Structure formats: C-alpha cells, structure tokens
Amino acid sequence: MTLSRRKFLAVGTSAAAAAAAGLTGCGSRSSLGGSNELSMWTWVGSVNDDLISQAEKAIPGYDGMKLAMTRIGTNYKTKVLTALAGKSLVPDIVAINDDVATYFPNADQFHDLFELGAKDLEKDFLPWKWKLGITPENKMMAYPMDTGPTALFYRTDIFTKAGVDIDPAAVAGLAPDWDAYIELGKKLKQAVPGSAITDNIQGVYDYRMAQQPKRYMTADGQYIGDQEHVRQSFDLAVRVVKEGLSANAQNSSDKNAVVTNGKLVAYNAAVWWAQLGPKNAAPKTKGLWRVTAAPGGAGNRGGSFLGITKYCKNPEAAFAFISWLESAKNQAQAFLDPVLFPSTPAAYTDPTLTAPDPFFGGQRIVDVFAESAKKYPGAYFSPYDSIIGTPIGKELVNIEASGKDPDLAWSDAQRQIERELTRAGAI
Amino acid sequence: MAVTSKTAPAAVTATATTADKPPNKFKQALPQYAAVSPFFILFAIFGAFPVLFSIWISFHSWDGIGEMTWVGLEQYNYLLSDATFWKAIGNTLIIWVLSTVPMLLLALVIANALHNATRFRTFYRVAYFIPNVTSVVAITLVFGSIFSNNFGLLNAFLQSIGLGQVEWLTQPWGIKIAIATIITWRWVGYNAIIYLAGLQAISADVYEAAKVDGASSRQTFWRITVPMMRPVILFTAVTSTIGGLQIFTESRVLFGDTNNIGGPGDAGLTIVSYLYQSAFITNQFGYGAAIGWALFVLIVLFSIINWRLIGGNDDERLTRRAARRVERRIAAQNAKKTAEKTAAAKETADVR
C-alpha cells in the first residue's frame, strides 16, 4: 500500500504541529539569519545604501562574515520590541532612534560596547553624542550614528522684501536670542502679512528645549520638568503664538503646506529639516534659503544609534562592522545620500560635506551645523523623557488650537506628568 | 465509554456482549479530527492565544522587553480614573453618532432609490459600493487635503462663497465632523447594498395589498417597508456600532505624524487610538490590553442596547405584544361591563 489518505492526513497534521511549534520558537535563543551573516534592522533612510551593499558582500576588515540588512517600514520600534520579547530570531544589530534612553532599563538585552573595545574610538566622536548611548550604570549600550544640530533657516526673498540684510552673519547678529528673533518676526510680518517664524507652537518649544543643557530629569532620577528652564521654554512658545508668529500647522500636510506657500519665512530647526522641509515640500524655492546660527544658541534634536543585541552570534564582527560604518569617512558619505549629519567632527571638513549647496544659494551649510554640533552643551535624556514631553506638547497644542489659558495648561500638564511618572514608578 | 474500554476485562465483555459497538470511538474518529485540526491549531495559535495573553498582560506592567511585573487590577484601576480614557470614549461616541445616524438614514434612502431605479441599476450599485473597497488610508489622505486648514478645498470653497474659513483640523468639533464625514462616505454604500437586499426580500404581494387598500407611498414606507426591514436595520445598526467603536485609521492618518495621534486637544482620540498610543507609542502593553478589554465590554454593552432598542426576537415579541394587547382589551371590556353592571344595579337600586 502506498500513501493512503489517512497516512497523508497524519503526516500533514504532524507537519502543521511542527510548524506551529517552530513559530512559537520554544526555548531556542538564536539570532536572525545564517551563521555567516549578521542580521541588521533599520528604518528607511537611516544608512547609506552603497556602504551597506559593500558590507553585504563582506564586512570590511572581518573576513568570513557578511551583512544581511532589512529595512523595517513603519512601527519600527514595535517590531524590534516584539523580536526582543520573543527572545529568538532577534537581529544581531538594531538601529535605535533618539529615544535611546527608553531602552536603558533593558540594557541587559544589549552587549556592552565598552567590552568590545569602544573606548578607543571615543575621541573620534562628539563628546555629548557619545554620552547619550551610555547608561547611568556606565554601560555603553548604543553606538552613535548621526546627529541633529539645529540652526536658523530663512527665506532670503522675504527678508529682502522686509528690508533685512540677508547675509547669514548679519542675520545671526540681528537675532542672537529669542527676544530679538521675535522682534525680527514682527518686522517680517509687517512687511509681508501672514509671515510666520514657526510652523506651530510645539516647534518653538521643542527647539528651545533642544538648546537647554538639562531636560526633564537628572541623571540620578530627580524630576526637574517643572523647573524654570522648562517653564521658560513653555512661555516662550506661548509668546510666539500670542504675537501671531506661528503658522498653526498641526499635521504633516499642513506643515508642508506652510513651507510650499511661503508662509513659513524662517524656522529654527534641525539639520534634517532641510530635506524634510524645503527640499521636499517646496523644491521651487531652490536658492532662496539660507542657514545661520540659531537664536538662543546651539542645539540638537534627533540623531540615531546602533546597538548589538545579546543574541548576536558574533559580537566582535558586529562591532567591527558598526565602527566601520560610523567612521568619519563613511559618515561623510552618509551625509550625501540620506542626509545624515555626522557625529564625527573629522567628517565636517570632508570635501563631500563642504561642497556648496545650490539649494541654499551655494552656501556651505555644513559650517553652520558643524558649529552648532560642536557648541551644543549636551543634556541628559532619561528613559521617561517621552512620557514627560507628551503631556506638555499636548497642552501647548491646546493653547494654540483652542485658546486654552497657558497657566491652566501648564498645571494640567504637570498633573498628568505626575500621574504618569507615578505609574511608571519613576517618582 | 472511554473508561470501560480502557480496562481490558470490561472491553472484552463489551465486545462480547455488543458486537456492533466499536472498541474505541476516538481512535476511529482520529482521521476526521486530524482533517479538521489545521483550523483549530492555527486558531489556537493566532486567535485564542493572543486573546488569552492579552488578559494575562492586562494584569501586568510591561514595557515590551524586560520582565513583566504583576500589578493585579492596577491597570483597570488607573483606567477608571484616567481622564484621557474617558475623553476617548466620549470622542468615539460623538463620532459614532455623527457618522452612523446620517449614514444609515442616507443608506435607506439610497437603497429605496436603487430599488425603484429602472435604468443602470448595476452601475449605481457598483458606484455606491466603490468607496467601501477603497483603501481607508488613501481616502483619509484625500479628505485630509479637503479639510486642511491651510490649503483645503472645503475652505477654499467656503471662502469663495463668502462664508470664511473653518479650522477643520484644529477645532474639536471640526475634527470630529471631518472624521465622521470620512466614515459616512466610506460605509454608506455598503449599508445601502445590504438594505437593498432586504428590500428585495419583501414580497410584492404586501405592497400590492397596500395599494389595493389605498395606502400612500409614505404610509407604505413607514408601515410596511421599515417594519419588514427591521432585522436588516438591526444588523446594520449592530455592525456599525462595532465598527464605530473601533474607529482608528481615520484619526491615525489625519494626525499621524506626531506622537499625539488624537490631533489637537485630543479631539480626535478614539478608544482604539488610545489603545494604540498606550501600547505601541508609550510601550505600556499592560495598559493597552486593559483598554482593549474595556472596549470589549463597551461593545457588548452597546450591542445589547441596540438589540433591545431596535430588534430582539421579533416574531416572539410581536406576538407577545399582540397577546398583551388582546388581554388588555378584554380586561378593559370586562371592566366596562362590570362598571355598567354596577351602574345599572345602582340605578335600579336608586329607582327602588
């Protein structure tokens, strides 16, 4: 007798059961990918394609291993957390966004990069950026990728109309701090009605906070989000709105619209905004933009990291790869393609970065951002920063969108933060 | 049966006494069980396990990576005193009413028109159904540009007729109306097709009888069409309640670029948005699961209310009501009779 129907069903069932068992992955603690390849997860636009395809053939300086990279689309963090929660088929290397501190309570899921020899490379990086990947227990969990230094973007054609000198140095001199910047904004608005110097209230708050040497918590776990430096940023954002200098654009299509229709004439933003803002939303304004030092000093918003998970099949090879990928020379190359601003100061003089940018009228914009990146004082990011920042941001929107009383909004935000922090066990 | 067949002597006696009884029914049925097992195995993994697991994590505090810590009913406790959660429920209900009521009324009108249409019937049916098969994300993006504050078509139109502009996507009511419009537009055709099927199931005899009796078209609609459509209306009401309580994509896409997915002032934050925000943006998986279960309770509650309001076991209820009515009438008649009798008795007594 050959294959009977019964036998076929029995085989089929056991195969299904085996597949089911395989899916749940009982007990196996392995990383994703073949034994001679390192798997890496990242989101779209976070690494340079040429460098990756080079490593996909063979990881430079490490024979016998190659890279297998997957670009995870949306919900990147959720997918990474899901993989880590499953404890198997976890990628060897994961990209981590600027919320790196939220991973710190689970730093045991990652290799300590100090143990893999990271200390020797510290001198190549911006000191404040380097510090951001180190946990309070002095374990290096994340290796620096790009940064997000801030500067003032402005439209020369509108400035000319308002009779303001468009030379970057002159603009920087005209608006050294936020008070002067608001005065400048009023002048622009008088000359060109409808002009705004921020897309919305949160833009001011976020970029003011990005200049502060401290944020919401101290390194030893004290909550300082109700103190003067936060309240001052909050009040500043409210003031810009009260002066009528905000474009009140609350969602992404509106944010693009105010760039396209020329309402947003100046914006204190991070380097990546050059691509996301004017270059994408308003390609016709090519040549009309300039960049100069931001009012209120150097700042940083955004920037990402790389971590090696504890499931990694070959941590030495993984470290060799990430230190190669984030070398000054390769970071300079990554600036060209997905516009990632290097965290290695040596890259700032690389000819690929110092080339004049025709979109900014041939200005060497890297000089402005490099200055900002070097001068930025650095600040401690706690694991709870995002749950503290969210209520404040929401209340700011309430002030702008529905005219909520700022004092009430502030106290509501603080009450909500206290609730959230108590629940999270932070205070 | 299973117990007796396990013990050898009993099995022997069993086979001896009743020869036609199989020794082990389960063993015999094994191929059948095997044949239907793929569904149950897959369901257990992808259906039952996640549901049970979500109950389990709703009693825990978990950030998605590290150890889960048991907190008992703490998540539910927090939920009850969480103003944002109640706001999300309020928003969901407002958006649900704003979308479902016009949607079902419109659907009934459209279905009636389709039913009576004589030309291009299939074309109209397809035309009304198309919004339902279009991607929600695409629809929302289009509506987003219609309602947009800075470049919206609607505002451009309102301005051109001198009505000024409304900040649709920043004002609390504007946001809700925008979301409700998207939902109505998407589901009205779907419900119309279901109503149409219901209409076509009503026998023509009833209408002919009504015509013979001289009923006007309005009378026919309210006295015949609507009562006979009741089960269909109940079905659409229940499905739109469940759908309406799960509104998510519209506000997610309209305000998708920030962490604040409810839009300005959380005016577009629905229960599912809040679930998503808690679980996948702030990584409080236990809390997200608790919200999910609260939503489950809410849906059950609303389905029961709907059932009671619109439907129920129709025939039984109608007959029961008719029986009660007859009883009442008989009782009234009896009361009248006794009253008359006593009055007559009184009268005769008075005369005497």
Side-chain angles (χ1 to χ4, degrees), chain A residues 28-29 31 40 66 84 88 100 109 112 122 133 164 182 189 232 246 261 308 313 326 337 354 374 376 380 398 404:
Chain A
S28 65
R29 292 193 150 214
S31 67
M40 172 177 171
K66 53 185 189 167
L84 285 171
S88 89
V100 59
Q109 301 284 319
D112 184 352
E122 183 176 350
V164 181
I182 289 174
K189 198 180 170 105
Q232 186 248 326
S246 163
N261 65 21
I308 300 174
K313 54 181 85 79
E326 301 309 329
D337 185 14
T354 54
K374 285 183 205 159
Y376 175 59
Y380 171 71
N398 283 345
K404 188 168 179 175

Side-chain angles (χ1 to χ4, degrees), chain A residues 20 75 106 254 263 398 423, chain B residues 45 63 148 150 257 265 276 287:
Chain A
N75 302 333
N106 299 298
D254 263 12
K263 221 174 172 180
N398 283 345
R423 174 164 65 159
Chain B
I45 297 168
D63 65 356
S148 169
N150 277 296
D257 60 327
Y276 179 85
Y287 194 54

Side-chain angles (χ1 to χ4, degrees), chain B:
Chain B
M1 171 68 213
V3 177
T4 50
S5 62
K6 258 182 197 166
T7 50
V12 169
T13 47
T15 40
T17 47
T18 51
D20 56 327
K21 242 186 187 175
N24 190 335
K25 255 192 182 165
F26 179 77
K27 215 171 195 176
Q28 213 182 32
L30 199 63
Q32 283 89 328
Y33 283 125
V36 295
S37 63
F39 165 76
F40 289 100
I41 291 171
L42 290 176
F43 175 75
I45 297 168
F46 296 105
F49 172 71
V51 170
L52 297 176
F53 188 62
S54 78
I55 298 182
W56 178 246
I57 59 171
S58 76
F59 295 120
H60 288 81
S61 170
W62 189 39
D63 65 356
I65 315 178
E67 293 302 308
M68 294 194 229
T69 38
W70 174 267
V71 294
L73 288 170
E74 202 48 52
Q75 303 284 15
Y76 291 96
N77 199 13
Y78 188 89
L79 191 74
L80 291 177
S81 61
D82 184 0
T84 319
F85 173 68
W86 292 109
K87 183 161 200 181
I89 290 189
N91 288 340
T92 311
L93 295 182
I94 293 171
I95 293 170
W96 171 59
V97 170
L98 282 180
S99 60
T100 308
V101 174
M103 176 174 79
L104 294 187
L105 286 178
L106 259 175
L108 206 54
V109 172
I110 291 171
N112 216 22
L114 283 177
H115 188 55
N116 297 329
T118 44
R119 300 172 69 193
F120 308 122
R121 284 169 89 155
T122 320
F123 169 76
Y124 285 127
R125 277 180 219 176
V126 171
Y128 280 114
F129 201 73
I130 276 180
N132 196 248
V133 293
T134 318
S135 150
V136 203
V137 176
I139 296 169
T140 309
L141 288 174
V142 171
F143 272 86
S145 54
I146 290 175
F147 282 109
S148 169
N149 291 347
N150 277 296
F151 63 98
L153 280 178
L154 191 61
N155 274 341
F157 171 72
L158 287 178
Q159 267 173 335
S160 73
I161 58 169
L163 284 176
Q165 70 172 41
V166 181
E167 304 216 309
W168 291 105
L169 296 183
T170 47
Q171 294 300 331
W173 279 99
I175 291 171
K176 293 187 179 81
I177 291 171
I179 294 174
T181 311
I182 299 170
I183 297 165
T184 306
W185 185 81
R186 180 150 187 256
W187 288 97
V188 74
Y190 172 85
N191 287 303
I193 297 294
I194 291 177
Y195 284 161
L196 181 64
L199 281 177
Q200 286 173 339
I202 300 174
S203 159
D205 301 352
V206 193
Y207 285 106
E208 265 166 37
K211 210 181 251 176
V212 171
D213 288 347
S216 71
S217 60
R218 186 193 277 178
Q219 277 171 325
T220 325
F221 182 76
W222 286 110
R223 299 276 171 87
I224 295 174
T225 311
V226 172
M228 297 204 71
M229 289 273 287
R230 216 152 161 197
V232 184
I233 294 176
L234 170 71
F235 171 77
T236 56
V238 171
T239 50
S240 6
T241 305
I242 296 171
L245 290 173
Q246 297 177 342
I247 302 162
F248 167 65
T249 326
E250 290 80 4
S251 54
R252 176 86 181 107
V253 179
L254 277 179
F255 311 104
D257 60 327
T258 52
N259 280 353
N260 179 16
I261 63 176
D266 276 343
L269 186 80
T270 62
I271 305 174
V272 183
S273 314
Y274 191 46
L275 189 165
Y276 179 85
Q277 185 175 309
S278 303
F280 302 111
I281 293 179
T282 57
N283 297 319
Q284 294 158 330
F285 288 91
Y287 194 54
I291 297 173
W293 282 98
L295 178 63
F296 171 76
V297 170
L298 214 67
I299 289 178
V300 169
L301 207 73
F302 272 86
S303 299
I304 292 173
I305 292 174
N306 262 323
W307 192 263
R308 281 289 156 92
L309 276 183
I310 309 177
N313 196 335
D314 220 32
D315 290 339
E316 199 181 297
R317 218 165 75 155
L318 281 179
T319 48
R320 240 191 289 139
R321 199 189 281 169
R324 271 205 300 272
R325 203 179 295 149
V326 171
E327 268 167 30
R328 261 204 307 275
R329 202 173 295 157
I330 293 168
Q333 274 170 357
N334 286 345
K336 211 173 159 192
K337 263 183 205 160
T338 45
E340 273 167 10
K341 256 185 204 160
T342 46
K346 224 179 184 180
E347 226 166 67
T348 46
D350 283 350
V351 170
R352 269 182 195 167

Side-chain angles (χ1 to χ4, degrees), chain A residues 410-423:
Chain A
W410 173 262
S411 59
D412 281 356
Q414 292 300 333
R415 195 174 319 121
Q416 184 63 22
I417 291 167
E418 203 193 313
R419 246 174 90 83
E420 293 284 346
L421 287 181
T422 311
R423 174 164 65 159

Side-chain angles (χ1 to χ4, degrees), chain A residues 163-196:
Chain A
V164 181
D165 192 348
I166 60 163
D167 178 60
V171 174
L174 210 57
D177 52 37
W178 284 87
D179 288 333
Y181 183 48
I182 289 174
E183 289 311 311
L184 177 66
K186 282 200 237 171
K187 194 173 169 188
L188 291 165
K189 198 180 170 105
Q190 247 169 16
V192 183
S195 295

